[in-house]
């Protein structure tokens, strides 16, 4: 995890708020560093993590995770991490007979209906284990990324319903957290993606939006991050509603600085 | 005007955005209705009952009837707990109530209903509820019905938003600047011209409304009486004015496209 990002969000693995939905959004840049941050953050917080990984392979997340101090293979083996590798299991839908509906069952259907099988997979993965001591602090659902479901033919409202049910179960019932990545294509014509992005935004407590610089690519400043806090428990929370920082991604860390204050230009 | 929104009855549309959320204002208006002794029904589709009731004291909570469509709105759990008829069924049931007192119905949110129901069905139901004519065979007098609908503007196209807007007696669009929230209120009273006003406000921790003087209280700019209006023709190098003779000649000129007995 990136310590500087924790400082900006005023959080640490041992005192993170529960019952929250965090939306990660990227526009004209790659926001996957935020996914890696939260994956390592919640594994270090000893949470039970269900990762619906539709964008990259397990080994990709594992290699990056090791740079950030977490071993996904070990976490999976000891039951802390439930990993749905979308790229691999999408093929299983077609070539393996399944007793119960596969989480990605919608790929087989002519009209992709709802994502109820995927929700039931998540609920099963994160439900508390009966008996025995609680090994994990609280459950976390991580999705990378939701826009892939639109590309696979699922309607925006069906994806929003899936997020709604996950929020009801993970955030409200189990007092866990959710972290969802949605791409912002910036295309006004892409109505489905805009409905999805705005719909999840309205359900979110925290929005982290990574944007490319308006002036183009830069060697020393890779983008800017806008942090928007929504739905505080008190309507007049004293903290700032919105903050904007620029950042530079390095091999094992990300450094943040105020706009125009990159060390390269000072 | 913000604190008297519900006095007119009918549909009050609260239009919010990601940047300026409207649920706090919705809860403040719900609290106001409850304090006036009205019965308040909440159709909760987006947040849990606990989250909606959070911040209200027990007096207010006792007057709120929460219809839970958050936990299992699409009946995926296939249990008997799902409310029959869905949200519209609950809306019609509220309307068929026997209690003649005034009632406020808060829809949290109209956006959720609009995404899951045909726009025409929703508009017909809202029209029937807010105009109190959904009980044709019921002879008992029905009290004033106010419907508060929270609408997330960015989720819908101009068609559905326009349809809902035309049904609404009052529209409140949330915005703000520099951390201070504002509400642009468009009010349509029967047989009167629509009025609009911008009100700056904040919501206190107990969900009371605190009306404030913001950067601009009036919606129209007023000219400063101390500065005389500048005549734009003072430094021109050509003459824009007409003499009396030139003005008369111009007024008596017959234009080519005008028919007259002389032509």
């Amino acid at each position: 995890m990136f310590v500087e990002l924790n400082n900006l969000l005023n959080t640490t693995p041992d005192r993170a708020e529960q019952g929250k939905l965090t939306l990660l959004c990227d526009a004209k840049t790659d926001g996957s560093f935020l996914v890696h941050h939260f994956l390592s953050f919640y594994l270090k917080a000893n949470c039970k993590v269900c990762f619906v990984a539709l964008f990259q392979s397990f080994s990709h997340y594992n290699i990056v995770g090791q740079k950030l101090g977490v071993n996904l293979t070990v976490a999976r083996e000891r039951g802390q991490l439930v990993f749905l590798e979308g790229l691999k299991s999408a093929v299983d839908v077609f070539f393996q007979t399944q007793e119960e509906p596969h989480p990605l069952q919608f790929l087989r259907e002519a009209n992709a209906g709802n994502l109820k099988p995927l929700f039931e997979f998540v609920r099963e993965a994160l439900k508390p284990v009966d008996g025995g001591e609680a090994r994990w602090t609280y459950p976390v659902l991580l999705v990378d990324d939701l826009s892939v479901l639109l590309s696979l033919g699922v309607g925006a409202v069906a994806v929003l319903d899936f997020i709604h049910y996950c929020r009801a179960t993970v955030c409200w019932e189990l007092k866990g957290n959710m972290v969802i990545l949605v791409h912002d294509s910036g295309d006004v014509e892409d109505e489905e993606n805009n409905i999805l992005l705005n719909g999840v935004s309205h359900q979110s407590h925290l929005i982290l939006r990574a944007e490319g610089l308006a002036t183009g690519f830069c060697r020393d400043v890779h983008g800017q991050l806008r942090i928007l806090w929504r739905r505080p428990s008190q309507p007049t929370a004293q903290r700032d509603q919105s903050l904007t920082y620029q950042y530079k991604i390095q091999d094992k860390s990300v450094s943040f600085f105020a706009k125009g204050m990159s060390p390269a230009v000072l | 005007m913000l604190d008297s929104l519900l006095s007119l009855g009918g549909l009050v549309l609260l239009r919010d955005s990601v940047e300026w959320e409207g649920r706090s204002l919705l809860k403040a208006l719900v609290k106001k209705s409850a304090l006036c002794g009205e019965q308040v029904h909440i159709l909760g589709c987006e947040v849990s009952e606990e989250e909606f009731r959070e911040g209200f004291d027990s007096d207010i909570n006792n007057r709120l009837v929460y219809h839970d469509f958050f936990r299992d709105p699409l009946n995926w759990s296939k249990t008997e707990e799902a409310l029959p008829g869905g949200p519209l069924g609950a809306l019609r049931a509220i309307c068929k109530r026997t209690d003649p007192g005034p009632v406020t119905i808060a829809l949290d949110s109209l956006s959720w209903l609009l995404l899951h129901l045909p726009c025409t069905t929703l508009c017909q139901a809202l029209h029937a509820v807010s105009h109190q004519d959904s009980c044709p065979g019921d002879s008992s007098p029905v009290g004033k019905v106010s419907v508060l609908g929270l609408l997330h503007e960015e989720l819908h196209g101009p068609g559905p938003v326009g349809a809902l807007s035309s049904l609404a007696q009052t529209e409140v669009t949330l915005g703000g600047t520099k951390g201070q929230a504002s509400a642009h209120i468009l009010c349509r009273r029967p047989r009167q011209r629509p009025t609009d006003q911008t009100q700056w406000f904040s919501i206190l921790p107990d969900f009371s409304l605190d009306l404030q003087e913001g950067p601009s209280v009036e919606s129209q700019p007023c000219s400063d009486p101390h500065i005389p209006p500048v005549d734009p023709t003072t430094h021109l190098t050509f003459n824009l004015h007409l003499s009396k003779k030139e003005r008369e000649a111009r007024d008596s000129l017959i234009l080519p496209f005008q028919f007259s007995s002389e032509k």
Side-chain angles (χ1 to χ4, degrees):
Chain A
M1 66 184 181
F2 306 125
V3 176
E4 282 192 46
L5 183 53
N6 285 345
N7 293 338
L8 294 183
L9 299 178
N10 195 24
T11 184
T12 57
D14 52 357
R15 57 177 183 89
E17 287 183 298
Q18 289 176 238
K20 304 295 179 191
L21 168 60
T22 300
L23 170 65
L24 310 176
C25 170
D26 57 12
K28 292 185 189 165
T29 192
D30 181 11
S32 58
F33 70 96
L34 296 169
V35 175
H36 297 297
H37 164 79
F38 282 103
L39 177 59
S40 62
F41 179 94
Y42 284 116
L43 286 175
K44 287 185 179 180
N46 206 32
C47 295
K48 177 84 183 273
V49 177
C50 176
F51 191 179
V52 177
L54 303 172
F55 200 62
Q56 297 280 10
S57 65
F58 177 83
S59 56
H60 171 85
Y61 294 106
N62 198 18
I63 290 168
V64 179
Q66 282 173 9
K67 290 188 186 180
L68 302 184
V70 290
N71 189 320
L72 299 194
T73 309
V74 167
R76 188 165 61 173
E77 282 165 5
R78 65 191 189 124
Q80 186 188 10
L81 175 65
V82 176
F83 195 96
L84 176 66
E85 191 171 355
L87 292 169
K88 208 163 113 183
S89 56
V91 180
D92 293 341
V93 173
F94 295 100
F95 296 115
Q96 287 185 17
T97 52
Q98 300 272 339
E99 293 285 330
E100 62 280 343
H102 190 279
L104 304 181
Q105 185 67 26
F106 64 88
L107 292 171
R108 290 208 68 141
E109 290 155 13
N111 297 315
N114 60 44
L115 293 173
K116 189 174 164 205
L118 187 59
F119 161 68
E120 282 169 352
F121 168 83
V122 169
R123 188 181 56 186
E124 194 60 32
L126 292 178
K127 72 174 183 190
V129 177
D130 290 332
E133 59 197 49
R135 287 182 67 189
W136 319 115
T137 47
Y138 51 88
V140 172
L141 170 64
L142 198 55
V143 180
D144 179 22
D145 67 75
L146 222 50
S147 305
V148 169
L149 294 173
L150 291 184
S151 306
L152 292 174
V154 186
V157 177
V159 181
L160 286 176
D161 289 339
F162 163 70
I163 293 297
H164 177 108
Y165 269 86
C166 288
R167 192 162 56 90
T169 302
V170 177
C171 294
W172 174 68
E173 192 184 324
L174 301 176
K175 305 287 183 277
N177 287 344
M178 286 172 61
V179 180
I180 311 289
L181 177 71
V182 180
H183 291 303
D184 183 359
S185 59
D187 181 6
V188 178
E189 305 285 328
D190 192 350
E191 289 180 14
E192 290 275 288
N193 198 65
N194 291 337
I195 291 173
L196 178 62
L197 179 60
N198 289 319
V200 181
S201 297
H202 275 282
Q203 297 185 44
S204 304
H205 297 90
L206 174 66
I207 301 177
L208 299 181
R209 186 181 165 87
E211 299 167 339
L213 296 178
T215 44
F217 292 109
C218 172
R219 188 183 62 184
D220 296 300
V221 180
H222 294 155
Q224 71 183 23
L225 183 73
R226 187 155 169 258
I227 306 170
L228 176 64
W229 280 278
R230 297 186 78 253
R231 296 172 61 188
S233 52
Q234 291 294 326
T236 52
Q238 288 302 311
R239 63 185 169 192
D240 291 338
Q241 259 199 323
S242 168
L243 295 172
T244 304
Y245 293 92
Q246 291 180 338
Y247 62 86
K248 179 179 180 182
I249 301 176
Q250 285 137 357
D251 187 43
K252 293 184 184 180
S253 66
V254 176
S255 57
F256 293 89
F257 36 87
K259 282 205 259 189
M261 301 291 280
S262 163
V265 300
L266 288 176
Chain B
M1 202 177 174
L2 191 61
D3 48 355
S4 58
L5 281 181
L6 300 171
S7 57
L8 287 179
L11 174 63
V12 178
L13 210 56
L14 293 181
R15 298 167 66 151
D16 75 348
S17 58
V18 173
E19 195 95 22
W20 298 98
E21 60 90 23
R23 189 164 288 110
S24 302
L25 180 59
L26 179 73
K27 286 176 72 167
L29 294 174
V30 159
K31 175 178 173 174
K32 222 169 164 48
S33 292
L35 286 175
C36 292
E38 293 184 17
Q39 200 182 50
V40 184
H41 291 263
I42 319 291
L43 256 64
C45 310
E46 284 195 357
V47 298
S48 66
E49 183 171 357
E50 285 90 337
E51 186 175 337
F52 195 90
R53 289 182 183 275
E54 193 180 340
F56 290 145
D57 56 31
S58 54
D59 291 336
I60 307 292
N61 274 322
N62 288 339
R63 298 208 70 92
L64 301 189
V65 179
Y66 194 89
H67 304 263
D68 190 349
F69 293 99
F70 170 73
R71 267 187 303 169
D72 189 8
L74 307 176
N75 200 21
W76 281 5
S77 61
K78 296 268 189 285
T79 63
E80 297 303 318
E81 291 176 12
L83 296 168
L88 284 193
L91 205 54
R92 293 185 192 110
I94 296 166
C95 198
K96 285 191 172 69
R97 72 201 189 286
T98 51
D99 179 5
V103 76
T104 296
I105 306 172
L107 303 176
D108 182 13
S109 64
L110 253 183
S111 285
W112 193 95
L113 296 174
L114 200 51
L115 288 176
H116 292 85
L117 298 168
C119 183
T120 47
T121 310
L122 180 60
C123 288
Q124 284 164 1
L126 285 175
H127 184 269
V129 168
S130 54
H131 285 80
Q132 302 176 43
D133 58 355
S134 69
C135 320
D138 191 347
S139 58
S140 61
V142 180
K144 173 173 75 78
V145 176
S146 301
V147 181
L148 289 169
L150 181 62
L151 189 72
H152 308 310
E153 282 198 300
E154 307 104 327
L155 294 186
H156 313 288
V161 173
L164 288 172
S165 179
S166 65
L167 281 177
Q169 274 67 50
T170 312
E171 269 182 72
V172 181
T173 305
L174 288 151
T177 182
K178 291 177 190 152
Q180 198 175 9
S182 70
H184 179 249
I185 308 161
L186 177 66
C187 203
R188 298 185 186 95
R189 290 191 172 87
R191 294 180 297 280
Q192 288 183 30
R193 290 180 65 187
T195 55
D196 69 353
Q197 182 197 24
T198 298
Q199 175 70 62
W200 297 85
F201 70 98
S202 67
I203 311 281
L204 301 175
D206 65 349
F207 290 99
S208 305
L209 259 179
D210 179 27
L211 304 179
Q212 293 167 347
E213 298 282 328
S216 61
V217 175
E218 288 139 6
S219 53
Q220 289 158 17
C222 50
S223 55
D224 190 334
H226 300 294
I227 300 173
V230 175
D231 182 7
T233 61
T234 38
H235 300 295
L236 286 178
T237 55
F238 49 88
N239 184 19
L240 275 180
H241 300 286
L242 294 174
S243 66
K244 190 165 176 246
K245 255 176 100 173
E246 288 168 334
R247 199 182 303 279
E248 282 168 4
R250 186 190 71 178
D251 290 340
S252 60
L253 183 66
I254 298 175
L255 295 169
F257 51 81
Q258 280 174 319
F259 290 103
S260 68
S261 54
E262 293 161 347
K263 290 191 179 170

